[in-house]
Amino acid sequence: MEFKELKEAIDQVELVDAHSHNIVSLDSSFPFIRTFSEATGDALSFSPHSLSFKRNLREVAKLYGTEVSLEAIEKHRQTLGLHSLTTKCFNEARISALLVDDGLKLDKKHDIDWHRNFVPHVGRVLRIETLAEQILDEESPDHDSSWTLDSFTKAFVERLNSLVPEIVALKTVAAYRSGLDIDTHVSKEVAENGLVEVLQAGKPVRIGNKGLIDYILTRSLEVAERCDLPLQIHTGFGDKDLDLRLSNPLHLRTLLEDKRFAKCRIVLLHASYPFSKEASYLSSVYPQVYLDFGLAVPKLSVHGMVSSIKELLDLAPTKKVMFSTDGYASPETYYLGAKKAREVIFLVLRDACVSGDLSLMEAIDAAKDILSRNAIAFYKIDVVDTSSSIPQSIISPKSQMEEPHVQEDSSSFVRVIWVDTSGQQRCRIVQAQRFNGSVKKNGIGLTHASMGMTSFYDGPADESKLTGVGEIRLVPDLSTKRTIPWTKQESMVLADMLLKPGEAWEYCPRETLRRVTNVLKDEFDLVMNAGFENEFYLLKNVVREGKEEYVTFDVGPYCATSSYDAASPIFHEIIPALESLNITVEQFHAESGKGQFEVSLGHTIAFHAADNLVYTREVIRSVARKHGLLATFVPKYDLCDIGSGSHVHISLWKNGENVFPASDKSSAHGMSSIGEEFMAGVLFHLPSIFAVLAPLPNSYDRIQPNTFSGAFQCWGKENREAAIRTASPPGAHDGLVTNFEIKACDGSTNPHFSLAIIMAAGIDGLRRHLQLPDPIDTNPADVAATLKRLPETLSEAVEALKKDKVIHELLGQNLVVAITGVRKSEVEYYSKNPDACKQLIHRY
């Protein structure tokens, strides 16, 4: 039987991690070795000899490209930095939602909001014992006396109720404290005595008395029942603080039989290992019992993981089994949990097919349920269910069966977005029902002319060679499908351009970037990262002398606090919206222009950086529109004020490590030879690159000396007047360069074409081992006679691109013809209609 379809389906699912813990800082006292083991103390010294430790250590070493040793991995972690290694681990894990129990005590742990930098949706799981201990560590309401059971109960229930809107589930670690034989009818007298015993032990409070724990859990169940909150229960193995004999889920019978809580949804965590069979039985006979296998995967041997999951599925319905990583402290735990879960679920479901328990389609459906859909439904998570959006083309005709259609709200829409050659963002909108039924697989028809359109007319430029004859398909890239933050009834998705299934169109911007990215990877084993700075003006509409016109929102200077205060309500929507799209924002501030602002994005691999820029522009424009303003990225909004750029920072990575910096201080410029050759290629090809990075005649009104826009063909160390600036940001080793910034790029560029042409130029530098000229350490305008002026008009840039055979080869001859054709049309039109550039604020 062929199982390729099953593996592809599992690999494409965006995981929902239903149980995890906080990540800690790199300087936390939490030992990194515990990423690979639950052991503590002297027992930890034997951990490296366990099967799972050896396997997981190899997995992490392979991820980072280091030798297989704790020392090598830890050294790499310190070099990479927590943000970068967390980004890498989560990108590899492909987790779309994360539920975090923040009650685990960890040194220097990051709060839940920090995790939102890496995962689109993060929810909080509240550990009830931690909440109770926090309350008892406070002064009692009656300052003249200690806590009583009544005063504690009142405070606990009130606090719990107040937190309900902020959480997705409750959790108990009663198994660690007094065991799972919970008495839901515990008397107040027993609980009161337990409270006295706990308080007498002093502060900080640690609740270990069984009577008090049973009482707290019962009160929590009452809130959970009333508020329809699930309860996660630790079952099975853990560290040595736990008495394994008391963590068998069969002890929960009294709780499960209590009719008061018959509808309270309960999750047995950690596959209840080694009591997986018992957990499976409980899930099969109690409708409220669900199962979660985090920790068992990846902490057991391969045989142990497979056998444990198989035991869960012996009786438990596949609709009641859920994935989690039980990630904690280090991002590597999330990566390992996700990676091994995909592998183990494949092995288990494959065997179920071979044995006749499941058909192939049933196995694929079960995988989607276990890895994503069950948790989305169970915890009521507001995320797009990408598991149901896996293209049906991965199912071979011999095994294909019609899947049940999910009911869609006919009022919900999906925007299918593309960016054309002139840098304009466009979209087609379809109802969600049609999207799921047809468009996500077959795409939407689009005329060839769409990639030949200009900034002034919705028709193809004559010399683009693109006409109204011929049609391509806009096919959604489902990995980019996101709920629109400012209108939750809609989603948006980026599209690829195909001639037919499996055959990309040569004018497709995203495919162009993919193609050049593959050259860089195949020839040099390198990956380019990019991060964009987004400058834009906020304008308001006013009526003067009976005519509408747009004026600047504010008149404050660079980084003015008053300007930010004025725009603060807007940014309080923009930044969370970007974070909800998993786009990292490094900083934002008022810029030099009147009403001008900047939002700087974190760096990521080039393809994601381009996608992120498209979504960032959508967010900024749409949120501004909600506030009655117009946000424009046009390069030179006001000829008498500063222009708006989209400066891009570039770095090179290999095996997860930034290889742009020199390995030591012996380098003259703080760059590695690879970094220098790549940047030299970009500098060499800058004149032709301009035709893509600065695509409008208006762009050249911006690129002038003494405006921080890079008017001369030179580079400099931290020189913001140079066309290319090498950067040593805070945290970089003294004198070492981590990235370089290209100043010419502006907000009217197509981001995928821009990064593709930058990469192509860098590839030429690597191929020819180009060397950099000496850096310019002064204002280039002061030594203009010794430097070459970069194109002063779009016409000059187009001529340079037409002559650049290297760019033609790497981007494609027909694409370059289309680009130059569109640009020549722009030049001709705006030379005849100079005032028409005022309308660009409505297009960019």
Side-chain angles (χ1 to χ4, degrees):
M1 184 179 286
E2 177 61 53
F3 295 105
K4 178 182 177 183
E5 296 91 347
L6 175 60
K7 187 173 190 313
E8 288 180 351
I10 289 172
D11 287 344
Q12 291 186 46
V13 172
E14 293 278 340
L15 303 177
V16 175
D17 187 350
H19 178 255
S20 64
H21 306 277
N22 306 66
I23 291 173
V24 301
S25 299
L26 288 182
D27 59 349
S28 169
S29 61
F30 188 90
F32 179 65
I33 190 174
R34 290 195 59 193
T35 294
F36 307 97
S37 175
E38 284 291 292
T40 57
D42 292 340
L44 199 55
S45 64
F46 293 92
S47 296
H49 305 288
S50 69
L51 301 182
S52 65
F53 189 107
K54 291 177 181 294
R55 181 195 69 237
N56 288 333
L57 188 70
R58 287 197 308 274
E59 296 277 12
V60 174
K62 182 178 179 181
L63 173 70
Y64 292 148
T66 67
E67 64 184 54
V68 185
S69 72
L70 270 175
E71 295 75 20
I73 293 172
E74 289 195 77
K75 181 180 179 182
H76 182 77
R77 297 177 91 243
Q78 293 295 329
T79 302
L80 196 60
L82 183 61
H83 190 279
S84 293
L85 67 91
T86 305
T87 298
K88 182 171 184 62
C89 287
F90 276 90
N91 283 346
E92 292 291 332
R94 294 184 62 235
I95 295 171
S96 65
L98 189 67
L99 307 186
V100 180
D101 161 25
D102 61 351
L104 181 63
K105 293 181 179 178
L106 295 166
D107 178 49
K108 297 183 180 179
K109 68 182 180 182
H110 289 284
D111 61 22
I112 285 180
D113 282 341
W114 181 87
H115 296 74
R116 293 190 171 98
N117 290 314
F118 310 97
V119 181
H121 177 95
V122 180
R124 183 188 180 193
V125 176
L126 180 67
R127 188 182 293 205
I128 59 175
E129 291 85 359
T130 299
L131 177 63
E133 288 164 351
Q134 290 170 348
I135 291 171
L136 293 176
D137 276 330
E138 300 168 0
E139 291 291 329
S140 69
D142 183 359
H143 299 293
D144 296 327
S145 62
S146 184
W147 285 98
T148 65
L149 187 64
D150 287 340
S151 63
F152 165 73
T153 303
K154 183 174 184 295
F156 178 78
V157 173
E158 286 180 353
R159 189 80 60 88
L160 193 55
N161 280 323
S162 70
L163 291 170
V164 165
E166 304 172 19
I167 61 178
V168 294
L170 301 177
K171 179 185 173 181
T172 176
V173 290
Y176 268 97
R177 307 297 179 87
S178 55
L180 295 179
D181 186 14
I182 308 297
D183 180 6
T184 54
H185 298 282
V186 60
S187 69
K188 290 188 68 174
E189 180 181 0
V190 169
E192 185 90 59
N193 292 338
L195 177 61
V196 171
E197 177 185 305
V198 167
L199 293 175
Q200 286 176 345
K203 295 182 180 180
V205 169
R206 186 182 189 278
I207 302 173
N209 179 275
K210 180 178 178 352
L212 183 57
I213 286 178
D214 291 355
Y215 180 85
I216 291 169
L217 181 51
T218 304
R219 300 289 79 79
S220 300
L221 282 165
E222 291 169 350
V223 174
E225 174 80 4
R226 184 174 65 254
C227 299
D228 193 25
L229 276 176
L231 174 68
Q232 297 181 345
I233 301 179
H234 182 110
T235 62
F237 73 135
D239 61 42
K240 71 173 186 176
D241 287 347
L242 176 144
D243 187 338
L244 191 60
R245 297 167 299 180
L246 301 178
S247 65
N248 188 327
L250 292 180
H251 288 302
L252 292 169
R253 178 174 170 80
T254 301
L255 185 158
L256 299 176
E257 288 290 328
D258 194 321
K259 289 183 170 54
R260 293 175 297 167
F261 310 124
K263 293 185 178 179
C264 185
R265 295 169 292 136
I266 288 171
V267 188
L268 307 182
L269 297 174
H270 312 315
S272 300
Y273 181 84
F275 310 110
S276 303
K277 290 181 178 179
E278 290 85 343
S280 180
Y281 163 75
L282 292 175
S283 180
S284 71
V285 297
Y286 288 101
Q288 72 270 41
V289 175
Y290 292 71
L291 308 175
D292 182 300
F293 57 77
L295 188 64
V297 178
K299 287 296 195 293
L300 302 179
S301 69
V302 172
H303 171 77
M305 292 187 291
V306 171
S307 61
S308 180
I309 304 304
K310 283 185 175 182
E311 286 180 354
L312 289 184
L313 294 176
D314 278 345
L315 289 171
T318 57
K319 289 286 187 183
K320 297 177 80 176
V321 178
M322 291 178 281
F323 155 80
S324 76
T325 62
D326 196 39
Y328 61 93
S330 72
E332 290 86 350
T333 56
Y334 291 85
Y335 165 71
L336 290 169
K339 185 175 189 297
K340 302 319 290 184
R342 292 185 197 273
E343 294 171 5
V344 169
I345 290 297
F346 170 75
L347 294 174
V348 170
L349 296 179
R350 179 201 65 184
D351 288 354
C353 292
V354 171
S355 64
D357 283 335
L358 295 175
S359 69
L360 182 58
M361 279 303 299
E362 287 169 341
I364 290 172
D365 203 51
K368 295 176 185 178
D369 285 338
I370 292 168
L371 295 173
S372 176
R373 294 193 301 214
N374 289 346
I376 290 174
F378 183 85
Y379 293 102
K380 301 179 180 178
I381 302 172
D382 183 22
V383 297
V384 176
D385 177 13
T386 57
S387 70
S388 61
S389 302
I390 295 172
Q392 285 296 302
S393 59
I394 69 170
I395 307 297
S396 63
K398 65 181 180 182
S399 63
Q400 187 162 357
M401 294 172 59
E402 186 172 84
E403 288 192 297
H405 289 284
V406 178
Q407 289 295 316
E408 295 289 344
D409 180 358
S410 61
S411 67
S412 60
F413 307 138
V414 181
R415 305 179 189 183
V416 183
I417 297 174
W418 76 97
V419 185
D420 68 17
T421 306
S422 65
Q424 296 178 82
Q425 298 186 186
R426 302 175 185 266
C427 72
R428 290 278 188 88
I429 305 95
V430 296
Q431 290 178 296
Q433 188 174 15
R434 180 169 181 257
F435 180 88
N436 287 308
S438 172
V439 172
K440 71 179 183 183
K441 176 184 177 182
N442 301 314
I444 300 172
L446 190 70
T447 173
H448 285 188
S450 294
M451 284 303 287
M453 292 179 180
T454 65
S455 67
F456 59 87
Y457 177 62
D458 289 337
D462 290 341
E463 294 188 39
S464 70
K465 306 302 182 186
L466 294 167
T467 70
V469 178
E471 185 168 271
I472 53 103
R473 292 287 180 266
L474 279 178
V475 178
D477 177 351
L478 297 177
S479 69
T480 69
K481 189 165 182 278
R482 302 286 187 269
T483 299
I484 295 179
W486 58 91
T487 173
K488 297 291 186 180
Q489 315 96 297
E490 297 185 28
S491 298
M492 56 185 175
V493 64
L494 301 179
D496 291 317
M497 297 174 170
L498 305 182
L499 289 171
K500 59 184 179 181
E503 184 179 341
W505 194 37
E506 60 186 321
Y507 301 92
C508 174
R510 300 179 87 238
E511 179 60 27
T512 301
L513 180 54
R514 277 194 200 97
R515 191 172 63 249
V516 182
T517 297
N518 289 338
V519 174
L520 182 64
K521 180 67 175 175
D522 293 344
E523 290 191 24
F524 303 101
D525 195 24
L526 293 172
V527 174
M528 190 179 91
N529 272 24
F532 287 94
E533 301 173 11
N534 296 270
E535 295 174 342
F536 57 94
Y537 277 85
L538 290 176
L539 308 177
K540 57 186 177 182
N541 186 273
V542 298
V543 177
R544 290 178 178 172
E545 298 178 356
K547 296 181 179 180
E548 284 192 352
E549 61 179 283
Y550 283 90
V551 298
T552 54
F553 167 77
D554 186 73
V555 294
Y558 174 71
C559 282
T561 55
S562 60
S563 296
Y564 172 69
D565 279 340
S568 176
I570 301 169
F571 282 101
H572 275 288
E573 290 189 42
I574 288 174
I575 304 307
L578 292 173
E579 290 176 343
S580 75
L581 299 173
N582 204 24
I583 297 173
T584 300
V585 177
E586 292 197 342
Q587 59 179 328
F588 49 98
H589 59 85
E591 259 296 348
S592 299
K594 298 178 180 66
Q596 187 187 36
F597 295 86
E598 177 181 304
V599 174
S600 297
L601 306 182
H603 73 87
T604 184
I605 61 173
F607 197 80
H608 290 163
D611 286 353
N612 287 350
L613 184 58
V614 176
Y615 279 156
T616 298
R617 292 171 178 172
E618 288 295 306
V619 167
I620 291 171
R621 281 197 284 244
S622 298
V623 172
R625 192 177 298 114
K626 278 182 62 179
H627 287 262
L629 301 174
L630 185 148
T632 179
F633 298 89
V634 73
K636 194 72 170 178
Y637 156 69
D638 184 345
L639 296 181
C640 298
D641 209 336
I642 201 76
S644 291
S646 187
H647 310 158
V648 59
H649 291 254
I650 303 295
S651 56
L652 295 174
W653 295 70
K654 187 173 186 177
N655 297 324
E657 182 177 355
N658 188 352
V659 295
F660 198 84
S663 57
D664 55 44
K665 296 182 181 179
S666 63
S667 166
H669 303 310
M671 288 176 275
S672 65
S673 59
I674 289 174
E676 184 171 339
E677 290 175 4
F678 186 93
M679 195 176 96
V682 176
L683 181 63
F684 178 84
H685 289 279
L686 262 184
S688 53
I689 289 176
F690 263 44
V692 174
L693 271 59
L696 297 173
N698 178 264
S699 300
Y700 298 81
D701 294 325
R702 168 184 164 263
I703 303 174
Q704 298 293 327
N706 303 308
T707 60
F708 289 8
S709 56
F712 295 91
Q713 192 172 6
C714 64
W715 74 280
K717 299 177 180 179
E718 298 293 5
N719 188 341
R720 284 173 166 78
E721 280 292 348
I724 293 179
R725 171 179 76 97
T726 57
S728 299
H733 295 296
D734 186 35
L736 296 185
V737 173
T738 64
N739 68 87
F740 67 93
E741 176 189 27
I742 304 173
K743 308 293 285 187
C745 193
D746 67 42
S748 62
T749 188
N750 180 306
H752 297 87
F753 284 157
S754 285
L755 293 184
I757 199 169
I758 291 169
M759 199 181 300
I763 288 170
D764 185 49
L766 291 169
R767 285 173 173 174
R768 294 197 286 148
H769 303 291
L770 295 180
Q771 298 300 302
L772 288 168
D774 290 336
I776 300 299
D777 58 5
T778 187
N779 185 343
D782 294 341
V783 290
T786 66
L787 298 173
K788 180 181 178 182
R789 180 71 157 88
L790 286 165
E792 297 185 53
T793 65
L794 181 55
S795 294
E796 292 179 21
V798 169
E799 287 306 308
L801 178 58
K802 288 171 67 176
K803 297 173 183 176
D804 198 327
K805 301 305 180 185
V806 170
I807 300 300
H808 292 207
E809 174 206 341
L810 285 165
L811 262 62
Q813 179 65 37
N814 289 340
L815 175 59
V816 172
V817 168
I819 291 172
T820 56
V822 170
R823 302 294 184 263
K824 289 174 72 175
S825 186
E826 305 273 9
V827 170
E828 181 181 358
Y829 179 80
Y830 288 107
S831 65
K832 296 177 180 177
N833 304 278
D835 287 343
C837 66
K838 295 177 182 178
Q839 297 303 311
L840 291 173
I841 60 173
H842 302 291
R843 290 187 177 250
Y844 301 96

